PDB file of all heavy atoms in Angstrom:
ATOM      1  N   LEU G  10     -10.917 -10.913  -2.039  1.00 94.00           N
ATOM      2  CA  LEU G  10      -9.850 -11.456  -1.318  1.00 94.00           C
ATOM      3  C   LEU G  10     -10.158 -12.637  -0.496  1.00 94.00           C
ATOM      4  O   LEU G  10      -9.335 -13.559  -0.313  1.00 94.00           O
ATOM      5  CB  LEU G  10      -9.210 -10.330  -0.425  1.00 94.00           C
ATOM      6  CG  LEU G  10      -8.584  -9.145  -1.116  1.00 94.00           C
ATOM      7  CD1 LEU G  10      -8.240  -8.048  -0.029  1.00 94.00           C
ATOM      8  CD2 LEU G  10      -7.477  -9.550  -2.070  1.00 94.00           C
ATOM      9  N   TYR G  13     -10.086 -15.682  -2.603  1.00 89.00           N
ATOM     10  CA  TYR G  13      -8.801 -16.201  -2.932  1.00 89.00           C
ATOM     11  C   TYR G  13      -8.086 -16.810  -1.777  1.00 89.00           C
ATOM     12  O   TYR G  13      -7.291 -17.677  -1.917  1.00 89.00           O
ATOM     13  CB  TYR G  13      -8.016 -15.094  -3.554  1.00 89.00           C
ATOM     14  CG  TYR G  13      -8.098 -14.986  -4.985  1.00 89.00           C
ATOM     15  CD1 TYR G  13      -9.221 -14.289  -5.672  1.00 89.00           C
ATOM     16  CD2 TYR G  13      -7.245 -15.445  -5.817  1.00 89.00           C
ATOM     17  CE1 TYR G  13      -9.316 -14.151  -6.988  1.00 89.00           C
ATOM     18  CE2 TYR G  13      -7.273 -15.387  -7.320  1.00 89.00           C
ATOM     19  CZ  TYR G  13      -8.322 -14.737  -7.832  1.00 89.00           C
ATOM     20  OH  TYR G  13      -8.503 -14.652  -9.185  1.00 89.00           O
ATOM     21  N   THR G  14      -8.209 -16.204  -0.473  1.00 88.00           N
ATOM     22  CA  THR G  14      -7.542 -16.670   0.566  1.00 88.00           C
ATOM     23  C   THR G  14      -8.305 -17.779   1.385  1.00 88.00           C
ATOM     24  O   THR G  14      -7.678 -18.511   2.224  1.00 88.00           O
ATOM     25  CB  THR G  14      -7.224 -15.530   1.508  1.00 88.00           C
ATOM     26  OG1 THR G  14      -8.483 -14.952   2.007  1.00 88.00           O
ATOM     27  CG2 THR G  14      -6.509 -14.428   0.831  1.00 88.00           C
ATOM     28  N   PHE G  99      -2.611  -6.629   1.845  1.00 93.00           N
ATOM     29  CA  PHE G  99      -3.437  -6.015   0.889  1.00 93.00           C
ATOM     30  C   PHE G  99      -3.910  -4.670   1.275  1.00 93.00           C
ATOM     31  O   PHE G  99      -4.132  -4.331   2.347  1.00 93.00           O
ATOM     32  CB  PHE G  99      -4.799  -6.840   0.683  1.00 93.00           C
ATOM     33  CG  PHE G  99      -4.524  -8.355   0.536  1.00 93.00           C
ATOM     34  CD1 PHE G  99      -4.619  -9.226   1.500  1.00 93.00           C
ATOM     35  CD2 PHE G  99      -4.059  -8.876  -0.750  1.00 93.00           C
ATOM     36  CE1 PHE G  99      -4.432 -10.585   1.269  1.00 93.00           C
ATOM     37  CE2 PHE G  99      -3.857 -10.136  -1.110  1.00 93.00           C
ATOM     38  CZ  PHE G  99      -4.016 -11.107   0.058  1.00 93.00           C
ATOM     39  N   ASP G 131       1.652  -6.146  -0.806  1.00 86.00           N
ATOM     40  CA  ASP G 131       1.669  -7.075  -2.041  1.00 86.00           C
ATOM     41  C   ASP G 131       0.658  -6.663  -3.168  1.00 86.00           C
ATOM     42  O   ASP G 131       1.036  -6.837  -4.359  1.00 86.00           O
ATOM     43  CB  ASP G 131       1.341  -8.447  -1.552  1.00 86.00           C
ATOM     44  CG  ASP G 131       2.486  -9.099  -0.774  1.00 86.00           C
ATOM     45  OD1 ASP G 131       3.661  -8.605  -0.835  1.00 86.00           O
ATOM     46  OD2 ASP G 131       2.219 -10.098  -0.018  1.00 86.00           O
ATOM     47  N   LEU G 132      -0.539  -6.263  -2.710  1.00 91.00           N
ATOM     48  CA  LEU G 132      -1.605  -5.940  -3.796  1.00 91.00           C
ATOM     49  C   LEU G 132      -2.419  -4.857  -3.273  1.00 91.00           C
ATOM     50  O   LEU G 132      -3.000  -4.842  -2.051  1.00 91.00           O
ATOM     51  CB  LEU G 132      -2.493  -7.164  -3.978  1.00 91.00           C
ATOM     52  CG  LEU G 132      -3.549  -7.102  -4.900  1.00 91.00           C
ATOM     53  CD1 LEU G 132      -2.971  -7.013  -6.474  1.00 91.00           C
ATOM     54  CD2 LEU G 132      -4.570  -8.211  -4.891  1.00 91.00           C
ATOM     55  N   PHE G 148      -5.078  -1.814 -10.110  1.00 93.00           N
ATOM     56  CA  PHE G 148      -4.371  -2.777  -9.208  1.00 93.00           C
ATOM     57  C   PHE G 148      -2.901  -2.513  -9.255  1.00 93.00           C
ATOM     58  O   PHE G 148      -2.305  -2.689 -10.323  1.00 93.00           O
ATOM     59  CB  PHE G 148      -4.718  -4.285  -9.600  1.00 93.00           C
ATOM     60  CG  PHE G 148      -6.037  -4.697  -9.009  1.00 93.00           C
ATOM     61  CD1 PHE G 148      -7.166  -4.933  -9.910  1.00 93.00           C
ATOM     62  CD2 PHE G 148      -6.174  -4.970  -7.687  1.00 93.00           C
ATOM     63  CE1 PHE G 148      -8.297  -5.362  -9.403  1.00 93.00           C
ATOM     64  CE2 PHE G 148      -7.451  -5.373  -7.225  1.00 93.00           C
ATOM     65  CZ  PHE G 148      -8.556  -5.648  -8.077  1.00 93.00           C
ATOM     66  N   TYR G 150       0.640  -3.976  -7.787  1.00 88.00           N
ATOM     67  CA  TYR G 150       1.003  -5.248  -7.194  1.00 88.00           C
ATOM     68  C   TYR G 150       2.530  -5.361  -7.210  1.00 88.00           C
ATOM     69  O   TYR G 150       3.284  -4.717  -7.910  1.00 88.00           O
ATOM     70  CB  TYR G 150       0.432  -6.408  -7.880  1.00 88.00           C
ATOM     71  CG  TYR G 150       0.746  -6.556  -9.397  1.00 88.00           C
ATOM     72  CD1 TYR G 150       1.845  -7.385  -9.764  1.00 88.00           C
ATOM     73  CD2 TYR G 150       0.067  -5.775 -10.286  1.00 88.00           C
ATOM     74  CE1 TYR G 150       2.194  -7.501 -11.092  1.00 88.00           C
ATOM     75  CE2 TYR G 150       0.492  -5.908 -11.588  1.00 88.00           C
ATOM     76  CZ  TYR G 150       1.438  -6.741 -12.054  1.00 88.00           C
ATOM     77  OH  TYR G 150       1.859  -6.837 -13.317  1.00 88.00           O
ATOM     78  N   ALA G 151       3.019  -6.265  -6.317  1.00 80.00           N
ATOM     79  CA  ALA G 151       4.447  -6.533  -6.258  1.00 80.00           C
ATOM     80  C   ALA G 151       4.793  -7.531  -7.355  1.00 80.00           C
ATOM     81  O   ALA G 151       4.279  -8.686  -7.267  1.00 80.00           O
ATOM     82  CB  ALA G 151       4.889  -7.096  -4.904  1.00 80.00           C
ATOM     83  N   GLY G 153       7.337  -9.196  -7.943  1.00 74.00           N
ATOM     84  CA  GLY G 153       7.970 -10.365  -7.419  1.00 74.00           C
ATOM     85  C   GLY G 153       7.057 -11.430  -6.856  1.00 74.00           C
ATOM     86  O   GLY G 153       7.466 -12.520  -6.666  1.00 74.00           O
ATOM     87  N   ARG G 154       5.822 -11.006  -6.603  1.00 80.00           N
ATOM     88  CA  ARG G 154       4.884 -11.922  -5.884  1.00 80.00           C
ATOM     89  C   ARG G 154       3.755 -12.433  -6.963  1.00 80.00           C
ATOM     90  O   ARG G 154       3.420 -13.599  -6.865  1.00 80.00           O
ATOM     91  CB  ARG G 154       4.147 -11.167  -4.806  1.00 80.00           C
ATOM     92  CG  ARG G 154       4.942 -10.712  -3.584  1.00 80.00           C
ATOM     93  CD  ARG G 154       5.183 -11.897  -2.709  1.00 80.00           C
ATOM     94  NE  ARG G 154       3.948 -12.381  -2.111  1.00 80.00           N
ATOM     95  CZ  ARG G 154       3.749 -13.671  -1.635  1.00 80.00           C
ATOM     96  NH1 ARG G 154       4.745 -14.412  -1.666  1.00 80.00           N
ATOM     97  NH2 ARG G 154       2.503 -13.962  -1.174  1.00 80.00           N
ATOM     98  N   PHE G 155       3.413 -11.637  -7.821  1.00 84.00           N
ATOM     99  CA  PHE G 155       2.264 -11.987  -8.771  1.00 84.00           C
ATOM    100  C   PHE G 155       2.685 -11.771 -10.130  1.00 84.00           C
ATOM    101  O   PHE G 155       3.436 -10.873 -10.424  1.00 84.00           O
ATOM    102  CB  PHE G 155       1.073 -11.113  -8.442  1.00 84.00           C
ATOM    103  CG  PHE G 155       0.634 -11.234  -6.984  1.00 84.00           C
ATOM    104  CD1 PHE G 155       0.450 -10.084  -6.175  1.00 84.00           C
ATOM    105  CD2 PHE G 155       0.300 -12.448  -6.423  1.00 84.00           C
ATOM    106  CE1 PHE G 155       0.006 -10.133  -4.965  1.00 84.00           C
ATOM    107  CE2 PHE G 155      -0.072 -12.475  -5.156  1.00 84.00           C
ATOM    108  CZ  PHE G 155      -0.241 -11.347  -4.283  1.00 84.00           C
ATOM    109  N   ALA G 156       2.137 -12.587 -10.997  1.00 85.00           N
ATOM    110  CA  ALA G 156       2.340 -12.467 -12.454  1.00 85.00           C
ATOM    111  C   ALA G 156       1.278 -11.517 -12.981  1.00 85.00           C
ATOM    112  O   ALA G 156       0.133 -11.449 -12.518  1.00 85.00           O
ATOM    113  CB  ALA G 156       2.245 -13.787 -13.155  1.00 85.00           C
ATOM    114  N   ALA G 157       1.641 -10.778 -14.152  1.00 87.00           N
ATOM    115  CA  ALA G 157       0.697  -9.749 -14.725  1.00 87.00           C
ATOM    116  C   ALA G 157      -0.620 -10.455 -15.214  1.00 87.00           C
ATOM    117  O   ALA G 157      -1.750  -9.791 -14.966  1.00 87.00           O
ATOM    118  CB  ALA G 157       1.397  -8.980 -15.886  1.00 87.00           C
ATOM    119  N   ASP G 158      -0.520 -11.634 -15.819  1.00 88.00           N
ATOM    120  CA  ASP G 158      -1.752 -12.184 -16.269  1.00 88.00           C
ATOM    121  C   ASP G 158      -2.701 -12.607 -15.137  1.00 88.00           C
ATOM    122  O   ASP G 158      -3.946 -12.642 -15.264  1.00 88.00           O
ATOM    123  CB  ASP G 158      -1.464 -13.418 -17.179  1.00 88.00           C
ATOM    124  CG  ASP G 158      -0.548 -14.438 -16.570  1.00 88.00           C
ATOM    125  OD1 ASP G 158      -0.034 -14.264 -15.474  1.00 88.00           O
ATOM    126  OD2 ASP G 158      -0.402 -15.483 -17.170  1.00 88.00           O
ATOM    127  N   ALA G 159      -2.163 -13.034 -13.924  1.00 88.00           N
ATOM    128  CA  ALA G 159      -2.916 -13.398 -12.889  1.00 88.00           C
ATOM    129  C   ALA G 159      -3.555 -12.197 -12.315  1.00 88.00           C
ATOM    130  O   ALA G 159      -4.740 -12.310 -11.899  1.00 88.00           O
ATOM    131  CB  ALA G 159      -2.010 -14.066 -11.810  1.00 88.00           C
ATOM    132  N   VAL G 160      -2.924 -11.047 -12.327  1.00 90.00           N
ATOM    133  CA  VAL G 160      -3.593  -9.896 -11.752  1.00 90.00           C
ATOM    134  C   VAL G 160      -4.721  -9.385 -12.726  1.00 90.00           C
ATOM    135  O   VAL G 160      -5.760  -8.935 -12.247  1.00 90.00           O
ATOM    136  CB  VAL G 160      -2.531  -8.711 -11.457  1.00 90.00           C
ATOM    137  CG1 VAL G 160      -3.271  -7.427 -10.977  1.00 90.00           C
ATOM    138  CG2 VAL G 160      -1.521  -9.265 -10.460  1.00 90.00           C
ATOM    139  N   ALA G 161      -4.414  -9.469 -14.018  1.00 91.00           N
ATOM    140  CA  ALA G 161      -5.351  -9.148 -15.088  1.00 91.00           C
ATOM    141  C   ALA G 161      -6.619 -10.008 -14.823  1.00 91.00           C
ATOM    142  O   ALA G 161      -7.793  -9.510 -14.968  1.00 91.00           O
ATOM    143  CB  ALA G 161      -4.879  -9.371 -16.467  1.00 91.00           C
ATOM    144  N   ALA G 162      -6.528 -11.315 -14.528  1.00 90.00           N
ATOM    145  CA  ALA G 162      -7.650 -12.175 -14.340  1.00 90.00           C
ATOM    146  C   ALA G 162      -8.461 -11.814 -13.074  1.00 90.00           C
ATOM    147  O   ALA G 162      -9.620 -11.810 -13.071  1.00 90.00           O
ATOM    148  CB  ALA G 162      -7.161 -13.676 -14.246  1.00 90.00           C
ATOM    149  N   LEU G 163      -7.617 -11.384 -12.065  1.00 92.00           N
ATOM    150  CA  LEU G 163      -8.224 -10.929 -10.790  1.00 92.00           C
ATOM    151  C   LEU G 163      -9.091  -9.616 -11.064  1.00 92.00           C
ATOM    152  O   LEU G 163     -10.260  -9.570 -10.610  1.00 92.00           O
ATOM    153  CB  LEU G 163      -7.202 -10.598  -9.776  1.00 92.00           C
ATOM    154  CG  LEU G 163      -7.619 -10.058  -8.460  1.00 92.00           C
ATOM    155  CD1 LEU G 163      -8.113 -11.254  -7.474  1.00 92.00           C
ATOM    156  CD2 LEU G 163      -6.538  -9.290  -7.779  1.00 92.00           C
ATOM    157  N   ALA G 164      -8.575  -8.726 -11.962  1.00 93.00           N
ATOM    158  CA  ALA G 164      -9.302  -7.553 -12.246  1.00 93.00           C
ATOM    159  C   ALA G 164     -10.629  -7.847 -12.992  1.00 93.00           C
ATOM    160  O   ALA G 164     -11.729  -7.226 -12.691  1.00 93.00           O
ATOM    161  CB  ALA G 164      -8.428  -6.655 -13.050  1.00 93.00           C
ATOM    162  N   GLN G 166     -12.377 -10.646 -12.818  1.00 93.00           N
ATOM    163  CA  GLN G 166     -13.277 -11.272 -11.811  1.00 93.00           C
ATOM    164  C   GLN G 166     -13.796 -10.209 -10.932  1.00 93.00           C
ATOM    165  O   GLN G 166     -14.913 -10.333 -10.420  1.00 93.00           O
ATOM    166  CB  GLN G 166     -12.534 -12.348 -11.030  1.00 93.00           C
ATOM    167  CG  GLN G 166     -12.204 -13.583 -11.966  1.00 93.00           C
ATOM    168  CD  GLN G 166     -11.307 -14.515 -11.203  1.00 93.00           C
ATOM    169  OE1 GLN G 166     -10.623 -14.223 -10.221  1.00 93.00           O
ATOM    170  NE2 GLN G 166     -11.260 -15.858 -11.714  1.00 93.00           N
ATOM    171  N   PRO G 193     -10.899 -19.605  -8.396  1.00 77.00           N
ATOM    172  CA  PRO G 193      -9.867 -18.500  -8.262  1.00 77.00           C
ATOM    173  C   PRO G 193      -8.550 -18.966  -9.122  1.00 77.00           C
ATOM    174  O   PRO G 193      -8.047 -19.984  -8.937  1.00 77.00           O
ATOM    175  CB  PRO G 193      -9.496 -18.426  -6.833  1.00 77.00           C
ATOM    176  CG  PRO G 193     -10.688 -19.043  -6.130  1.00 77.00           C
ATOM    177  CD  PRO G 193     -11.271 -20.040  -6.942  1.00 77.00           C
ATOM    178  N   ALA G 194      -8.185 -17.973  -9.930  1.00 66.00           N
ATOM    179  CA  ALA G 194      -6.862 -18.239 -10.676  1.00 66.00           C
ATOM    180  C   ALA G 194      -5.670 -18.242  -9.757  1.00 66.00           C
ATOM    181  O   ALA G 194      -5.742 -17.489  -8.677  1.00 66.00           O
ATOM    182  CB  ALA G 194      -6.749 -17.186 -11.735  1.00 66.00           C
ATOM    183  N   PRO G 195      -4.669 -19.057  -9.897  1.00 66.00           N
ATOM    184  CA  PRO G 195      -3.561 -18.989  -9.044  1.00 66.00           C
ATOM    185  C   PRO G 195      -2.863 -17.650  -9.103  1.00 66.00           C
ATOM    186  O   PRO G 195      -2.675 -17.093 -10.259  1.00 66.00           O
ATOM    187  CB  PRO G 195      -2.609 -20.101  -9.615  1.00 66.00           C
ATOM    188  CG  PRO G 195      -3.054 -20.328 -11.032  1.00 66.00           C
ATOM    189  CD  PRO G 195      -4.510 -20.066 -10.997  1.00 66.00           C
ATOM    190  N   MET G 196      -2.580 -17.019  -7.961  1.00 65.00           N
ATOM    191  CA  MET G 196      -1.950 -15.726  -7.969  1.00 65.00           C
ATOM    192  C   MET G 196      -0.497 -15.794  -7.761  1.00 65.00           C
ATOM    193  O   MET G 196       0.197 -14.714  -8.026  1.00 65.00           O
ATOM    194  CB  MET G 196      -2.570 -14.908  -6.688  1.00 65.00           C
ATOM    195  CG  MET G 196      -4.072 -14.505  -6.920  1.00 65.00           C
ATOM    196  SD  MET G 196      -4.159 -13.377  -8.353  1.00 65.00           S
ATOM    197  CE  MET G 196      -3.293 -11.955  -7.803  1.00 65.00           C
ATOM    198  N   ALA G 197       0.030 -16.872  -7.472  1.00 57.00           N
ATOM    199  CA  ALA G 197       1.484 -17.010  -7.257  1.00 57.00           C
ATOM    200  C   ALA G 197       2.158 -16.879  -8.543  1.00 57.00           C
ATOM    201  O   ALA G 197       1.591 -17.406  -9.587  1.00 57.00           O
ATOM    202  CB  ALA G 197       1.934 -18.246  -6.446  1.00 57.00           C
ATOM    203  N   VAL G 198       3.334 -16.327  -8.718  1.00 51.00           N
ATOM    204  CA  VAL G 198       4.093 -16.258  -9.874  1.00 51.00           C
ATOM    205  C   VAL G 198       4.563 -17.735 -10.144  1.00 51.00           C
ATOM    206  O   VAL G 198       4.822 -18.465  -9.311  1.00 51.00           O
ATOM    207  CB  VAL G 198       5.260 -15.396  -9.675  1.00 51.00           C
ATOM    208  CG1 VAL G 198       4.841 -13.912  -9.536  1.00 51.00           C
ATOM    209  CG2 VAL G 198       6.186 -15.751  -8.570  1.00 51.00           C
ATOM    210  N   ALA G 199       4.690 -18.003 -11.575  1.00 44.00           N
ATOM    211  CA  ALA G 199       4.974 -19.324 -11.980  1.00 44.00           C
ATOM    212  C   ALA G 199       6.473 -19.589 -11.732  1.00 44.00           C
ATOM    213  O   ALA G 199       6.955 -20.628 -11.280  1.00 44.00           O
ATOM    214  CB  ALA G 199       4.797 -19.525 -13.440  1.00 44.00           C
TER     215      ALA G 199
END
Side-chain angles (χ1 to χ4, degrees):
L10 294 175
Y13 270 85
T14 62
F99 306 104
D131 287 343
L132 180 73
F148 279 106
Y150 62 96
R154 293 280 299 159
F155 305 123
D158 57 349
V160 178
L163 179 80
Q166 291 171 340
M196 288 297 294
V198 295

